[in-house]
Amino acid sequence: MTDQAKLLDYLKRVTAELYQVKEKLRESEAVRHEPIAVIGMGCRFPGGVRSPEDLWRVVESGSETVTGFPEDRGWNSAELYDPKAEQAGKTYTLQGSFLDDPAGFDPEVFGISPREALAMDPQQRLLLETSWETFEHAGLDPRSVHGSRVGVFTGLSGIDYAARAGGRPPADLEGYFITGNAMSVASGRVAYSFGLSGPAITVDTACSSSLVSIHLAMQALRNGECELALAGGATVMATPGVFVEFSRQRGLAPDGRCKAFSAAADGTAWGEGAAMIALERLSDAQRHGRRILAVIRGSAINQDGASNGLTAPNRQAQERVIRQALTDAGLGPGDVDVVEAHGTGTTLGDPIEASALLATYGRDRSAGRPLWLGSVKSNLGHTQAAAGVAGVMKMILAMRHGVLPKTLHVDRPTPHVDWSAGSVSLLTENREWPDLDRPRRAAVSSFGISGTNAHVVLEQSPPAEAPVTRTPAGEVVVWCVSGHTESALRAQAGRLREYLAAHPDLPPAAVAGALLNSRATFDQRAAVIGARSETLLGGLDALARGAPSADV
């Protein structure tokens, strides 16, 4: 072989190797930025919200969930109230958004004894319940995931349940208080109860905790640390301590309402809630034939660092985290239609956030297409460690319904912001979210008093052809219902009947398949049999009242 031939052969081999290296880098980059599918959701929020459908009812109707202090926690409103909060241990507001029944937990479902359940912080209980419901919402039997590489990422921003015992648990609960009130166990208990073998991490970055949890779950999925992930957060105020502390700082709205970006903004308003979402790599979700609720295109987290105060927001850091999330998503500011803001209704935080949004999303937008801006805190209050995931769920539901829900309590935009600096408009009324020449897109922000900021970019789910399940006329369908007790069985039948009455378009055969394949089976079982929806719904109603049509 001549020297020229040798050189040509060498160049061919080098070129082939370079091509292979380029392909590997391209594949690695694609994996690092692969979109993440949201395949299931479960939640508890004030105002009787026990499902994503309930949450949509609240935000679409423009409802609010503010009430007086709960009467089942031993809080003495008369002793706590001081209109000026000048005395130690006092608060100048007795308003907030509280869960209806945070103690309504059925421990037997999770193999937990009543004594251990009583020693558990209610936030742990709610994470178990919403995780179960999230699996079912994703079409997975919660008991079928045992041994799977599923990760759990939970946000908590405080545990004060043990403080109710004065630092010393009752003698009959000793031994359970350590695990029942340890933040680290919140994620670990979910993993233990369902038998999950992926990462289990509890995150505390204050009010950005649940959105940071979603970011970490996305990274774990992209890195192959788990095949599916649960992410979210929970907040239950077992004591009024957070009201007292923020009253001393004059940081609360006296009427218990978040007036996000409003000229009337006068402080934040505390709320409670718990929510989890199920995440899977988009390619895996499509291969498994999942129902994809939405796609998370990108996310980012960062820190304020030095600012003009330990708890003061940093506009430059907020701008950076937005740009980082857009880069991760492979999108520009003009590709996003709406931002679900942190929007707590404070005179310090809201103007800083709005200015950061104007400087990023508000520039170089097409005519007539402003960035729309809203905050679910105007409905639910500031649900703290559950706030970020609440915003994510709101935006997913808005994309699916094609409606941008209004933000409440905005008399006029805050004058502390130069709104002419960019194209950003407040959602003061419900607006249609029209079909575009691209998917609908939204972003969600969360900023913690810790200084940790988070931003995620959501996208409408890709079009998919839903499987058609038809029942030939006159063919009998069987709806199977179960519960671990007779009363639980009846309650399940009642909830199912209520849901199906509100969704009359669901084919009876599809309902039968879902009840068989995506619900756990308990010892107490019953079947409702019929050929028409009216007959089947009537059977559920009878079962809920304790008169089952047939036992299985």
Side-chain angles (χ1 to χ4, degrees):
M1 182 180 290
T2 66
D3 289 343
Q4 186 175 4
K6 289 179 181 179
L7 177 61
L8 182 60
D9 182 64
Y10 173 75
L11 290 174
K12 286 180 178 179
R13 283 189 287 109
V14 169
T15 301
E17 289 173 0
L18 286 173
Y19 178 79
Q20 291 173 356
V21 169
K22 183 179 178 180
E23 281 298 295
K24 288 180 179 179
L25 287 173
R26 186 187 64 78
E27 292 171 4
S28 175
E29 190 69 8
V31 169
R32 194 166 72 88
H33 295 284
E34 182 176 5
I36 301 299
V38 181
I39 61 171
M41 304 189 293
C43 65
R44 295 281 193 283
F45 287 110
V49 172
R50 300 181 64 85
S51 68
E53 291 78 15
D54 289 341
L55 178 60
W56 181 246
R57 168 183 52 79
V58 168
V59 296
E60 184 187 32
S61 65
S63 302
E64 61 174 35
T65 59
V66 179
T67 65
F69 275 8
E71 298 180 355
D72 59 353
R73 305 187 194 183
W75 301 5
N76 190 319
S77 298
E79 292 181 0
L80 287 168
Y81 183 64
D82 175 5
K84 297 183 178 180
E86 294 175 343
Q87 306 175 56
K90 302 288 186 177
T91 173
Y92 59 78
T93 181
L94 299 176
Q95 303 291 311
S97 292
F98 303 94
L99 291 171
D100 295 338
D101 185 20
F105 176 68
D106 192 340
E108 291 184 30
V109 174
F110 301 95
I112 297 171
S113 71
R115 283 201 307 147
E116 185 174 7
L118 184 59
M120 287 167 53
D121 186 288
Q123 295 168 142
Q124 289 192 19
R125 306 176 207 156
L126 285 165
L127 289 171
L128 288 172
E129 291 178 330
T130 52
S131 295
W132 182 289
E133 291 162 8
T134 299
F135 279 130
E136 290 193 333
H137 197 253
L140 296 168
D141 179 343
R143 294 181 173 177
S144 71
V145 296
H146 187 92
S148 302
R149 293 178 59 242
V150 179
V152 183
F153 300 82
T154 60
L156 289 182
S157 58
I159 287 183
D160 57 1
Y161 182 65
R164 294 171 57 89
R168 182 173 182 177
D172 59 337
L173 300 183
E174 287 181 350
Y176 292 124
F177 251 54
I178 292 178
T179 52
N181 293 274
M183 293 188 69
S184 60
V185 175
S187 55
R189 191 182 291 276
V190 173
Y192 171 80
S193 297
F194 292 98
L196 312 177
S197 62
I201 300 173
T202 305
V203 175
D204 180 8
T205 58
C207 303
S208 58
S209 296
S210 60
L211 210 61
V212 171
S213 296
I214 291 172
H215 169 81
L216 295 177
M218 291 176 60
Q219 300 306 308
L221 286 165
R222 287 169 168 172
N223 292 334
E225 297 166 12
C226 53
E227 298 169 349
L228 190 144
L230 295 174
T235 289
V236 176
M237 296 173 284
T239 74
V242 69
F243 286 93
V244 172
E245 284 294 311
F246 268 73
S247 288
R248 299 295 284 179
Q249 296 185 15
R250 318 307 299 180
L252 293 179
D255 63 357
R257 291 166 173 82
C258 287
K259 307 169 187 68
F261 306 106
S262 170
D266 54 358
T268 195
W270 295 132
E272 299 177 324
M276 296 292 274
I277 60 176
L279 304 174
E280 192 173 29
R281 288 183 295 272
L282 179 59
S283 57
D284 289 344
Q286 291 173 326
R287 186 173 70 255
H288 295 147
R290 311 281 196 212
R291 178 187 59 163
I292 299 172
L293 304 175
V295 171
I296 306 181
R297 283 285 300 266
S299 67
I301 59 175
N302 73 358
Q303 238 288 332
D304 281 341
S307 62
N308 64 349
L310 174 63
T311 62
N314 185 321
R315 171 182 162 176
Q316 289 72 31
Q318 292 184 15
E319 291 181 24
R320 285 196 301 271
V321 80
I322 289 170
R323 293 192 175 101
Q324 290 164 359
L326 287 170
T327 298
D328 185 49
L331 299 171
D335 296 323
V336 175
D337 307 313
V338 58
V339 167
E340 171 64 21
H342 189 58
T344 58
T346 61
T347 53
L348 174 63
D350 281 9
I352 291 174
E353 181 176 9
S355 296
L357 292 169
L358 285 159
T360 50
Y361 286 111
R363 305 288 173 82
D364 303 321
R365 301 189 70 85
S366 59
R369 293 272 295 275
L371 176 82
W372 294 106
L373 181 61
S375 175
V376 74
K377 294 180 180 67
S378 67
N379 305 95
L380 304 176
H382 189 345
T383 54
Q384 304 168 71
V389 68
V392 167
M393 291 181 67
K394 172 190 169 183
M395 285 294 96
I396 290 173
L397 293 164
M399 283 191 289
R400 295 182 68 79
H401 287 274
V403 176
L404 294 167
K406 67 180 179 181
T407 295
L408 310 182
H409 316 307
V410 179
D411 54 350
R412 57 189 177 88
T414 174
H416 303 298
V417 172
D418 180 8
W419 294 100
S420 66
S423 184
V424 175
S425 298
L426 292 178
L427 282 164
T428 55
E429 297 294 337
N430 284 7
R431 300 185 65 89
E432 179 187 2
W433 197 340
D435 289 324
L436 306 169
D437 56 357
R438 57 161 176 80
R440 296 170 181 144
R441 296 194 184 102
V444 182
S445 287
S446 274
F447 311 126
I449 198 172
S450 64
T452 299
N453 309 308
H455 195 74
V456 303
V457 181
L458 303 167
E459 184 174 278
Q460 186 179 11
S461 58
E465 194 169 318
V468 178
T469 307
R470 291 188 173 91
T471 306
E475 183 167 318
V476 172
V477 168
V478 180
W479 287 352
C480 298
V481 187
S482 72
H484 74 284
T485 64
E486 186 178 341
S487 61
L489 172 64
R490 291 200 300 269
Q492 179 73 357
R495 287 192 295 270
L496 180 60
R497 196 235 180 269
E498 182 179 344
Y499 178 83
L500 294 175
H503 298 81
D505 55 326
L506 290 176
V511 174
L515 290 172
L516 282 174
N517 300 319
S518 64
R519 295 295 185 270
T521 301
F522 295 96
D523 292 339
Q524 297 293 320
R525 307 173 194 179
V528 174
I529 303 171
R532 300 173 53 202
S533 294
E534 295 82 359
T535 304
L536 291 160
L537 290 174
L540 285 177
D541 185 59
L543 179 57
R545 290 185 283 103
S549 57
D551 291 324
V552 178

